[in-house]
Amino acid sequence: QFHREMGDAWKAREQALNTGASPGAVLWPKATAVVCGVAALAVLGLAVASVAGGGRWRRVRLLASVALVAVMIQGLLGGFRVFLDQIMGTQLAAIHGAFAQLVFCLLLSVAVLSAPLRPGRELSAADRNRLGLPALVLPVAVIVQLVWGVMVRHTGSPLGQRLHILTAFVVTGLTVWLAARILATPSSRARLGFYAYHLVAIVAVQVMLGVEAWMGKFAAAGPELATPPMQRTVTQGAAILRTAHMLVGVALLAASVLLAFRVWRRADVGGAIESPTKPVLEPGAVACVT
């Protein structure tokens, strides 16, 4: 409703401009904004109440509550982006795109941690110590890489262009390093071999798509040779290629986050669901259930 009222205010402003009348001040839906704020506080209160319950799934409930609030913020950013795009520029588009990656990581984390870890799938302490650091550094590097990609996509920043390429080398190197360490020992290869091959395959596809998307955006010939990259006509093929590059980047982030949780997760922390054991009774014995 808040977004709908913002859209109605914008349409009224456009109609006033088309008829030559003064649009006046932009009327914000203040009453609905207050209702939305109260509803958001109620959601936060319920989240706090659910986390205060304790138990082995307390951390998962806390993460789910944070993800819920992040989704709400992302929705508001999307509405503000549409409403303020022609008033304040396209800066909110970059913020909206970058924050979306963090929201996706939160939702993925909730999904991964909500599933029980099967017995025998936990890494040994030696493998965890050997793989723990690169498994944590890789998702951070991928998030930074995606932020620079958002800057290139929405703003064409020269600094973002340089950092996007440099960080691509870092992400590729970390991926190869982590995959090599996983495949180095039989124990980690048996539990994480699929994750390693999957991660390397995604990086290989992402590099190829990145090169093609970069050439399509910044390399030109013919009549558009003297046109700045941000002002060139985007063909359907170029749009499909850039979108595929973005989606594979999100898949790379998902794979790296999943692998980090897989390395660090232990079965006794939000892990396997314990099944009750049935007692074995001797003939004539009496079972006492409390």
Side-chain angles (χ1 to χ4, degrees):
Q1 179 64 20
F2 182 60
H3 292 167
R4 184 181 298 111
E5 292 185 13
M6 284 197 302
D8 293 341
W10 178 257
K11 292 179 182 178
R13 182 179 184 277
E14 289 293 313
Q15 292 176 357
L17 290 175
N18 292 334
T19 57
S22 175
V26 179
L27 299 178
W28 290 85
K30 297 180 180 179
T32 308
V34 173
V35 175
C36 292
V38 173
L41 291 177
V43 170
L44 290 176
L46 292 174
V48 172
S50 66
V51 173
R56 67 188 306 173
W57 297 100
R58 180 178 181 179
R59 296 179 181 178
V60 181
R61 291 199 300 269
L62 175 60
L63 195 62
S65 302
V66 174
L68 176 60
V69 175
V71 169
M72 295 165 64
I73 295 174
Q74 177 72 355
L76 288 174
L77 286 176
F80 288 140
R81 172 189 174 182
V82 174
F83 184 65
L84 301 175
D85 203 43
Q86 300 184 30
I87 299 177
M88 300 176 59
T90 59
Q91 290 82 2
L92 277 178
I95 298 175
H96 185 238
F99 191 72
Q101 317 300 335
L102 301 179
V103 175
F104 184 74
C105 288
L106 285 172
L107 295 176
L108 177 67
S109 303
V110 172
V112 171
L113 294 179
S114 297
L117 184 63
R118 291 180 294 176
R121 299 296 297 171
E122 182 182 5
L123 287 179
S124 63
D127 287 336
R128 188 180 299 110
N129 293 333
R130 187 169 51 85
L131 302 174
L133 180 60
L136 289 179
V137 174
L138 179 59
V140 176
V142 175
I143 290 177
V144 174
Q145 167 76 355
L146 288 174
V147 170
W148 301 139
V150 169
M151 293 180 61
V152 173
R153 184 181 181 92
H154 292 283
T155 66
S157 167
L159 178 62
Q161 297 173 28
R162 290 169 172 81
L163 293 177
H164 188 61
I165 294 180
L166 292 176
T167 317
F169 287 102
V170 175
V171 171
T172 304
L174 287 173
T175 301
V176 174
W177 179 36
L178 179 57
R181 302 199 78 172
I182 290 174
L183 301 175
T185 60
S187 59
S188 61
R189 183 170 60 249
R191 291 171 173 81
L192 301 178
F194 171 78
Y195 297 91
Y197 290 121
H198 179 243
L199 197 62
V200 171
I202 293 180
V203 169
V205 174
Q206 179 70 344
V207 169
M208 291 187 293
L209 290 175
V211 171
E212 293 299 323
W214 188 273
M215 295 298 296
K217 185 178 183 68
F218 295 102
E224 291 193 340
L225 182 61
T227 305
M230 299 301 293
Q231 300 179 8
R232 292 171 185 167
T233 303
V234 181
T235 63
Q236 183 178 4
I240 294 175
L241 191 63
R242 297 177 191 179
T243 303
H245 180 57
M246 181 196 67
L247 293 178
V248 175
V250 177
L252 175 60
L253 176 62
S256 63
V257 171
L258 175 60
L259 182 56
F261 277 112
R262 187 63 184 81
V263 169
W264 282 97
R265 189 178 178 187
R266 300 183 182 183
D268 58 343
V269 179
I273 299 177
E274 298 178 354
S275 58
T277 58
K278 184 177 181 180
V280 179
L281 301 179
E282 295 294 335
V286 179
C288 179
V289 180
T290 58

